[in-house]
Amino acid sequence: MSIEQVGVVGAGQMGNGIAHVFALAGYDVQITDVSQDALDGALSTIGRNMDRQVNRGTITEADKLAALGRIRPTLSLADLGPCDLVIEAATENEAIKHAIFDELRPHLGPDTILTSNTSSISITRLAARTARPEKFMGFHFMNPVPVMQLVELIRGIATDKETFAACLAVVERLGKTASSSEDFPAFIVNRILMPMINEAIYTLYEGVGSVKSIDVSMKLGANHPMGPLELADFIGLDTCLAIMNVLHDGLADTKYRPCPLLTKYVEAGWLGRKTNRGFYDYRGESPVPTR
Ligand code: NAD
């Protein structure tokens, strides 16, 4: 199964990172979104992030220009028809993902591998709606994609060996490292990481510590590179809440109950860095804790 043309659905923080690494690895990339602003933003973010790599000497100006030339933005999902591999990286909402797969279905060739970058939703359930469950799997990048080494590969119950092998070969060509997870809620990384972030939010909610104390405690006391609340803002609080809900619903255990304070921040539209406010306020020179 030779993969050369790759489609990316969703041009948010993950979609732009995914397009970035595939284009640098020599793949032709079609990136689509429902929002022209998101597409424009993705291309300028990719350009800026590649400039940073040029300045650090990890890629050349010629690599950057060639990679940017391989990325084609489009508002039409139908343009992804000729792709060998499609990675869905739209909003973490199951209904949105089903609607995307339904709309894509008539345009795809019979051999196209369809994947989702979902952080938590059942791959088997998503696959069941695609009419190609054997050619469907989870392709889970970490944020920020150009920096993070890991890709979690998640087999649905019906995923065939050839599809898994083809995705593994893609991860190797990207110069990244794959881990393999069974298809259970939130897979491996988020099954462990999100309850820790949720517990940090409970620690804040119960007044055990301030935003600053919680983050400094985990940075200096547990040697984490980022505090859990800083990390939550970085991931996006809506995404964190969606993942906690999937864990809570999927495993039916109260230990995964999303913290009411997380829900409140999301209701306020304080989603973290992407909206300039979350556990920190990013509108000034340096981030200011909001509690
Ligand atoms: P985001 O909010 O930054 O971007 C989502 C994008 O999807 C937006 O640009 C939105 O316009 C677009 N979109 C919504 N509906 C669409 C549709 N019908 N068709 C095409 N585009 C559509 O979100 P994100 O952080 O990039 O997350 C995307 C996916 O990646 C989610 O499934 C999330 O769980 C997963 N993920 C996120 C992280 C993270 O740290 N943020 C890490 C790994 C995986």
Side-chain angles (χ1 to χ4, degrees):
M1 245 181 233
S2 151
I3 292 174
E4 291 307 326
Q5 288 203 57
V6 176
V8 180
V9 183
Q13 48 181 351
M14 295 306 291
N16 82 57
I18 294 168
H20 176 137
V21 297
F22 273 89
L24 269 182
Y27 293 96
D28 287 323
V29 180
Q30 295 265 6
I31 182 165
T32 182
D33 201 287
V34 283
S35 147
Q36 183 64 48
D37 283 353
L39 285 174
D40 295 344
L43 286 181
S44 68
T45 302
I46 294 169
R48 256 196 332 273
N49 288 342
M50 285 189 186
D51 280 339
R52 219 174 285 154
Q53 287 176 297
V54 172
N55 291 338
R56 277 203 305 266
T58 51
I59 63 171
T60 65
E61 182 70 19
D63 295 334
K64 177 190 106 179
L65 292 176
L68 289 176
R70 287 187 206 106
I71 303 177
R72 287 189 303 279
T74 173
L75 283 169
S76 165
L77 266 179
D79 288 343
L80 272 54
C83 291
D84 307 307
L85 166 69
V86 172
I87 300 173
E88 173 280 314
T91 311
E92 186 74 343
N93 172 311
E94 190 163 341
I96 290 179
K97 293 185 189 292
H98 282 311
I100 289 169
F101 296 134
D102 287 349
E103 197 182 330
L104 259 177
R105 189 193 295 205
H107 305 291
L108 298 178
D111 293 328
T112 304
I113 294 177
L114 200 52
T115 65
S116 175
N117 184 50
T118 178
S119 304
S120 59
I121 300 170
S122 162
I123 296 302
T124 301
R125 203 163 61 233
L126 289 175
R129 283 279 292 264
T130 62
R132 61 181 71 218
E134 68 291 346
K135 293 197 180 313
F136 189 97
M137 59 183 277
F139 209 128
H140 184 217
F141 287 88
M142 308 293 130
N143 186 20
V145 182
V147 176
M148 299 295 280
Q149 186 61 26
L150 185 75
V151 181
E152 262 183 325
L153 293 180
I154 306 110
R155 256 182 275 240
I157 209 163
T159 309
D160 66 24
K161 283 198 184 88
E162 292 74 21
T163 299
F164 186 83
C167 288
L168 189 58
V170 168
V171 175
E172 281 163 11
R173 178 160 156 198
L174 295 176
K176 295 198 181 285
T177 303
S179 72
S180 168
S181 168
E182 292 301 319
D183 182 26
F184 287 101
F187 320 127
I188 296 174
V189 173
N190 283 315
R191 169 79 177 260
I192 298 169
L193 178 66
M194 273 310 149
M196 186 206 66
I197 287 178
N198 194 49
E199 197 60 28
I201 303 170
Y202 268 113
T203 310
L204 178 68
Y205 175 65
E206 291 170 7
V208 181
S210 64
V211 168
K212 215 172 155 187
S213 319
I214 292 167
D215 277 350
V216 85
S217 297
M218 293 308 285
K219 277 201 280 196
L220 303 185
N223 218 13
H224 289 190
M226 286 171 100
L229 300 173
E230 194 186 355
L231 180 58
D233 276 359
F234 188 72
I235 293 167
L237 302 189
D238 52 340
T239 300
C240 293
L241 179 59
I243 297 170
M244 285 312 298
N245 280 325
V246 166
L247 280 167
H248 193 224
D249 296 346
L251 298 169
D253 189 326
T254 53
K255 76 178 176 182
Y256 299 113
R257 191 169 67 100
C259 178
L261 186 62
L262 173 61
T263 307
K264 195 186 278 190
Y265 269 71
V266 173
E267 284 170 352
W270 293 14
L271 306 183
R273 278 188 179 267
K274 63 185 166 188
T275 56
N276 268 327
R277 219 178 333 185
F279 292 112
Y280 293 84
D281 186 332
Y282 299 93
R283 291 171 300 172
E285 287 263 299
S286 50
V288 178
T290 52
R291 287 177 95 80

